[in-house]
Amino acid sequence: MNDPNGPMYYKGVYHLFYQYNPQGPVWGGDIAWAHSISHNLIDWIHLDIALSPTDPQLDIRGCWSGSTTHLPNHNLAILYTGRDSKEHQFQHLATPKDLNDPFLREWTKSPLNPLMTPINGINPLEFRDPSTAWRGLDGVWRVVVGAQVDGKWKALLYTSKDFEHWTKSDKTAFYLFDNDLVVECIDFFPVGINGSDGDNHYLNEDQYEKKFAMKVSFQANKRDCYVLGQYSPEIDEFRAESEFMDKGCDLRLDYGKFYASKSFYDSEKRRRVVWGWVMESDHDVDAHIRGWSGLQSFPRTIVLSESGRQLIQWPIKEIEALRGDNVNFQNKELHGDSVLEIPGVTASQADVEVSFEFEVAELEEAEPMDPSWVDPQLLCNEKNASVKGTFGPFGLKVLALDDLSEQTSIFFRIFKTNIDTEKYKVLMCSDQSRSSLKNGVDKHIYGTFLDLDPCQEKITLRTLIDHSIVESFGGEGRSCITARVYPKLAVNKASHLYAFNYGTKSVKISELNAWSMRNAQFESSIGEENH
Ligand code: DQQ
């Protein structure tokens, strides 16, 4: 599997479609829309493929990514990209064959397809991934599609009154990218500090006062970046507050392996939820041996931070239902150069929440921040988990062997700046350099700065560990780093969990909670009892 497609909630059922190759365990030319459903976003039933390539003129070379939209009268629509026999890309519509089928198993492609064609300078090979549509107060539907037009990448706006006949807006671009990177899977949605602010089903005047987020997946570096800004529906203008890849400190949904994400508004729980594709870091040959490749991240809620400067993501509450045995301790001093085992949970499948605090007066002695350290990922590479410091590295070692020869470290460092407005910089890293004793798997180190003042608040970390996937949420969800790792020996019972501090200064664990996690349930076809 690769990209999540058209997630939605409809009449009590969650639907997740995703890019899936029925011919083999790696991406292939006749990629389809697979379909799974869930009642709780945890346990899933895999249904038959919803959209397959069928037509040489429309989509024979793949039903590529797209979105779902809720239409009036409980109707639904999929907009997706189809590639024809020449690999030219078009946008197509599909609707449920039977709206009374609670699982919406069958979808019908519109006889009007294609609805959007690559004309007027649009590169036919680079025109894809329609967003969820939104309807303005004027009753007109709008959708954005990423495209390369006369050599420049743009988010194009298309409008329609009936959802079937679409015209490209006169505007040169809804958004014009200032780099030459291939743009995929644009997501555009309202955000606020409450989950319900993320409702994009029917935009109302209040929402236009709010901020909007535009998320873009840059193919070249496989990054899901976003900007925040103001959207004026009367003139269909999105004014972003920052630029993508602005001075290397861009806003990203995740600073690790997380790509082609797609969000949806869950009207039942009044929240916006996002999924991302966690791709492999080994080779196709491994995928063939394993029989599969690629997975979806844990679903995460997404809101605007109170500061309004960034998005906050957090694993959906439902995940807590999988929690089993718990270990808890409070006020534990982690002296300099110490490693503390956290026993009593299944370390290979666990949910860990920890908060660290410090003597604020002592922070004065933190290492000075060099103004040239603008790239946090580079800094995490230079100062990896084994490089000792003053305040940090401290954090967790997960999927670790008892001699630590195999381990993944998620950790923080605190630096002191000479800037009055931001006295300290907190670096968050996920170090995969020793995550596997196997050769040939990607062992990158990821990193980001946390928008957090350590004098004012504790530094928290939540890490979800699932055998070979490590999803970490720093600073209450301000920064996320997902790692796909391939431990060779630190598996199942040989896997350990540790807290550590390799700084010279002590840090205090104010509280740590770790839980063993139960398995989610999967069914690969629908049994009678589910009807
Ligand atoms: N994957 C799809 C495309 C999309 C890309 C094809 C992103 O629609 O642009 O599988 O991973």
Side-chain angles (χ1 to χ4, degrees), residues 81-96:
T81 300
R83 285 201 314 167
D84 71 3
S85 53
K86 292 192 236 124
E87 301 194 353
H88 289 182
Q89 299 168 18
F90 304 86
Q91 316 317 323
H92 304 311
L93 171 69
T95 47

Side-chain angles (χ1 to χ4, degrees), residues 10-11 96-104:
Y10 185 73
K11 294 190 180 167
K97 191 165 177 187
D98 175 9
L99 275 172
N100 293 319
D101 170 9
F103 295 158
L104 303 170

Side-chain angles (χ1 to χ4, degrees), residues 149-221:
V149 189
D150 298 325
K152 289 299 279 173
W153 278 91
K154 297 174 175 183
L156 296 179
L157 186 76
Y158 283 80
T159 57
S160 171
K161 288 201 171 123
D162 59 4
F163 220 86
E164 289 188 320
H165 300 87
W166 291 85
T167 10
K168 188 160 106 38
S169 140
D170 296 341
K171 296 179 73 71
T172 41
F174 185 63
Y175 189 89
L176 175 63
F177 297 94
D178 62 354
N179 57 42
D180 296 327
L181 304 179
V182 173
V183 163
E184 302 187 310
C185 300
I186 299 176
D187 206 4
F188 183 68
F189 50 88
V191 282
I193 52 174
N194 293 313
S196 55
D197 296 332
D199 185 352
N200 64 337
H201 287 161
Y202 295 100
L203 293 184
N204 55 46
E205 269 167 70
D206 285 355
Q207 272 175 304
Y208 290 134
E209 308 288 308
K210 301 249 155 57
K211 284 197 184 187
F212 277 71
M214 180 184 271
K215 187 280 306 181
V216 165
S217 303
F218 288 112
Q219 191 193 52
N221 49 22

Side-chain angles (χ1 to χ4, degrees), residues 71 89 96 241 278 292 322 330 332 367 398 407 459 478 505:
L71 303 179
Q89 299 168 18
E241 292 164 3
V278 183
W292 60 272
L322 295 175
Q330 288 163 13
K332 186 132 198 147
E367 287 164 76
V398 307
Q407 50 151 306
I459 298 184
R478 289 175 176 87
K505 294 285 179 193

Side-chain angles (χ1 to χ4, degrees), residues 381-412:
N381 274 268
E382 276 170 29
K383 293 179 181 290
N384 64 39
S386 38
V387 177
K388 310 206 163 172
T390 311
F391 275 100
F394 58 85
L396 297 174
K397 289 187 182 292
V398 307
L399 299 173
L401 271 185
D402 52 5
D403 65 0
L404 299 180
S405 57
E406 200 166 54
Q407 50 151 306
T408 296
S409 298
I410 308 100
F411 63 88
F412 303 98

Side-chain angles (χ1 to χ4, degrees), residues 8-65:
M8 63 173 181
Y9 176 79
Y10 185 73
K11 294 190 180 167
V13 180
Y14 292 100
H15 295 255
L16 176 66
F17 304 89
Y18 52 91
Q19 292 281 282
Y20 171 71
N21 180 5
Q23 311 297 335
V26 291
W27 193 88
D30 39 13
I31 206 105
W33 276 47
H35 185 193
S36 299
I37 52 148
S38 173
H39 295 283
N40 58 7
L41 290 173
I42 298 293
D43 305 308
W44 290 89
I45 301 171
H46 300 304
L47 305 180
D48 285 346
I49 286 175
L51 291 176
S52 295
T54 46
D55 190 325
Q57 316 269 315
L58 299 175
D59 62 7
I60 196 74
R61 298 302 308 275
C63 297
W64 279 17
S65 287

Side-chain angles (χ1 to χ4, degrees), residues 291-307:
W292 60 272
S293 70
L295 51 114
Q296 303 300 323
S297 67
F298 275 107
R300 308 165 173 182
T301 54
I302 193 165
V303 291
L304 186 68
S305 68
E306 300 229 334
S307 74

